[in-house]
Amino acid sequence: MYLLKVNNCAETRRFYFSAPKKLTLSNQTLSMLKFLSKVKIEFNALDPRTAACMEFLAQCNARTAKESNPSCQLLVKRRTDSYPPQISVTFVNGVEEVFDATSTPAQTIRKMILEKGQQLETEQMFREAGEKWPVIIPAEEIHQSFPGTKPRKAEEKKQ
């Protein structure tokens, strides 16, 4: 906490404030970019609805984020019309998704990208292991009861 004194003619006012925390990118932000091959952000700078675009652009423009995936293209289109702000991302498998940045916060967009990225990683693991994708589970196996596992006591584990 810091103390700021402001001398006024009639009185002295005291304001207490906290120093702003240093902005750091989480590992999730860095890992988000590894699933993307292209990011396109479109917005009008004078439009008050551009908060999600600006936040997402700041995350993608960070030095550490760029270093995590230098092959990811970042395109920014500054518009002059009243077109609503939007964020388009292309995943490494070529699938493109467009987000309406007026109604979707940057955190939600990042979360959706991470979920899709985890699905891509899972798919890649199965393919590398020689398994078919998507995995099809027979209906009779889905409805089977699961016996479960019984936790062992500490003495049983040692033996």
Side-chain angles (χ1 to χ4, degrees):
M1 281 259 179
Y2 294 93
L3 172 65
L4 174 67
K5 289 185 182 180
V6 178
N7 291 328
N8 206 349
C9 295
E11 61 188 74
T12 300
R13 294 185 181 182
R14 293 181 181 193
F15 299 97
Y16 292 93
F17 65 95
S18 298
K21 293 181 180 178
K22 183 180 177 184
L23 179 65
T24 57
L25 289 175
S26 66
N27 288 337
Q28 286 185 341
T29 302
L30 298 177
S31 65
M32 171 189 72
L33 291 179
K34 78 178 181 180
F35 303 120
L36 304 176
S37 61
K38 184 175 161 183
V39 176
K40 185 177 179 183
I41 302 173
E42 298 181 52
F43 63 93
N44 181 340
L46 301 175
D47 192 337
R49 304 172 293 174
T50 62
C53 285
M54 300 305 280
E55 184 179 345
F56 198 78
L57 179 61
Q59 290 175 1
C60 293
N61 259 338
R63 181 182 54 83
T64 51
K66 284 183 176 180
E67 288 173 356
S68 72
N69 186 3
S71 64
C72 181
Q73 291 180 317
L74 179 62
L75 306 170
V76 179
K77 184 174 182 181
R78 290 175 181 86
R79 304 184 68 98
T80 55
D81 55 1
S82 60
Y83 193 78
Q86 74 176 19
I87 298 171
S88 306
V89 295
T90 305
F91 291 90
V92 290
N93 65 351
V95 175
E96 185 177 349
E97 243 180 274
V98 180
F99 299 100
D100 177 17
T102 59
S103 60
T104 313
Q107 302 289 11
T108 305
I109 295 171
R110 187 177 82 216
K111 185 179 175 185
M112 289 179 188
I113 291 170
L114 288 171
E115 288 171 358
K116 177 80 171 182
Q118 287 176 343
Q119 182 182 7
L120 289 173
E121 278 186 336
T122 304
E123 179 181 343
Q124 183 180 0
M125 283 186 341
F126 271 85
R127 289 184 192 265
E128 286 173 356
E131 297 291 330
K132 292 182 196 174
W133 185 261
V135 177
I136 299 171
I137 302 170
E140 60 271 4
E141 286 185 23
I142 291 176
H143 299 295
Q144 287 179 349
S145 63
F146 181 70
T149 57
K150 194 174 178 182
R152 290 191 235 163
K153 294 181 181 176
E155 296 109 26
E156 292 176 9
K157 287 183 183 179
K158 289 180 183 177
Q159 295 173 354

